[in-house]
Amino acid sequence: MYRLFLVLCLCYGLLGFASSEEPTTSVYEHCGNLQLQENIQIKLITGTWYVIEVLQHKTDDKLFHGEKFEVPTCPSIFLALTDSDNTDLKLYWSEDLGDIEYLFKIKDKSSPGFWLSSGSQNGTLLQLTNYNQFAGMVYVRKAISNHMVLTFCSPNTQLYSVVLSRDKTLDAKELKSIVNHMQLQKLPITQTKRTCRSSASTARATAWMTTAFGLTYLAWYLSVHK
């Protein structure tokens, strides 16, 4: 009876482990089980966005598991419709090292948050870095007025999300909400690359200097006009 109890516990534990890993494995291998935001107006998400964070979801790369680091550059993307039918998209990524151009197609107009890659990428980054061509799907996980979350999935090759903002900063509460939502969907974050941080630091420093100057001037003015 004791042996039977141990076997049952072991089987239960293995089943529990398999069920907890299944959603991520399924997404990584088949690019499925990812929720899209409904009621997206594709024209409203075109234009310029800034890359705030890049979240890696690959679970087979243990070297970078849980790593968080900051990048001094502030990449931007420009998203545009390239046809009158609003089904062809161009995503132009630009950063200090160079640029790259992605082409996507919306196969189903009733699901505008699901994009399929259409052809290979072009740009100067292909020559400067060890770039792997992306061939897969993009899921618009969240798209509101000031920020957007895109998840790129190429079966068994790439699985990552990009957090975009209309400005070069995004409120910490919004970033935390995005991470919490991914954890609820059992989509792990194995690496976090934070960008545009120098811009945020500069903005804070400028605000601090302005406040300090204002207080100094106020103290001088009060001392002169006693």
Side-chain angles (χ1 to χ4, degrees):
M1 179 64 70
Y2 179 70
R3 290 182 178 178
L4 177 61
F5 176 74
L6 287 178
V7 170
L8 289 175
C9 288
L10 179 60
C11 291
Y12 179 80
L14 290 175
L15 289 173
F17 177 79
S19 63
S20 65
E21 291 294 322
E22 190 277 330
T24 303
T25 302
S26 176
V27 170
Y28 185 43
E29 292 180 351
H30 311 294
C31 294
N33 297 336
L34 285 172
Q35 290 184 352
L36 303 175
Q37 178 170 310
E38 298 179 356
N39 303 320
I40 295 174
Q41 297 185 45
I42 196 68
K43 288 185 177 181
L44 296 182
I45 64 173
T46 58
T48 300
W49 296 85
Y50 294 97
V51 180
I52 302 300
E53 287 188 348
V54 179
L55 309 173
Q56 181 63 248
H57 305 302
K58 286 177 62 176
T59 57
D60 60 341
D61 191 349
K62 303 301 181 183
L63 180 62
F64 300 112
H65 189 80
E67 184 182 18
K68 296 181 180 180
F69 61 95
E70 297 185 2
V71 179
T73 60
C74 189
S76 65
I77 74 164
F78 183 78
L79 188 63
L81 292 164
T82 60
D83 70 324
S84 58
D85 204 29
N86 295 338
T87 57
D88 291 338
L89 286 167
K90 179 188 293 185
L91 191 156
Y92 183 78
W93 177 295
S94 177
E95 58 178 274
D96 291 350
L97 288 177
D99 54 65
I100 191 166
E101 181 182 87
Y102 297 80
L103 299 176
F104 299 103
K105 183 171 287 290
I106 299 173
K107 292 289 187 180
D108 185 359
K109 282 189 174 182
S110 65
S111 184
F114 179 68
W115 311 341
L116 290 173
S117 60
S118 177
S120 59
Q121 289 87 62
N122 296 300
T124 58
L125 282 176
L126 273 65
Q127 287 76 42
L128 297 175
T129 61
N130 297 323
Y131 179 79
N132 294 321
Q133 286 284 335
F134 176 80
M137 289 75 81
V138 172
Y139 299 79
V140 183
R141 309 291 303 286
K142 184 178 183 181
I144 58 177
S145 60
N146 70 326
H147 68 276
M148 179 165 62
V149 180
L150 304 178
T151 296
F152 291 70
C153 186
S154 180
N156 295 313
T157 307
Q158 300 176 65
L159 181 59
Y160 60 94
S161 294
V162 179
V163 180
L164 304 167
S165 174
R166 288 295 191 186
D167 300 313
K168 292 184 178 181
T169 59
L170 187 61
D171 188 80
K173 292 181 180 179
E174 295 287 0
L175 289 171
K176 185 176 181 181
S177 174
I178 291 169
V179 170
N180 290 341
H181 184 67
M182 289 182 176
Q183 290 175 343
L184 287 174
Q185 292 189 325
K186 298 183 178 179
L187 189 62
I189 299 173
T190 56
Q191 184 188 73
T192 301
K193 183 188 295 183
R194 297 170 174 169
T195 57
C196 292
R197 299 295 161 159
S198 58
S199 299
S201 300
T202 301
R204 287 194 296 268
T206 302
W208 182 87
M209 290 176 64
T210 301
T211 302
F213 176 80
L215 291 174
T216 302
Y217 176 80
L218 179 61
W220 172 82
Y221 181 85
L222 291 176
S223 64
V224 172
H225 296 83
K226 285 183 179 180

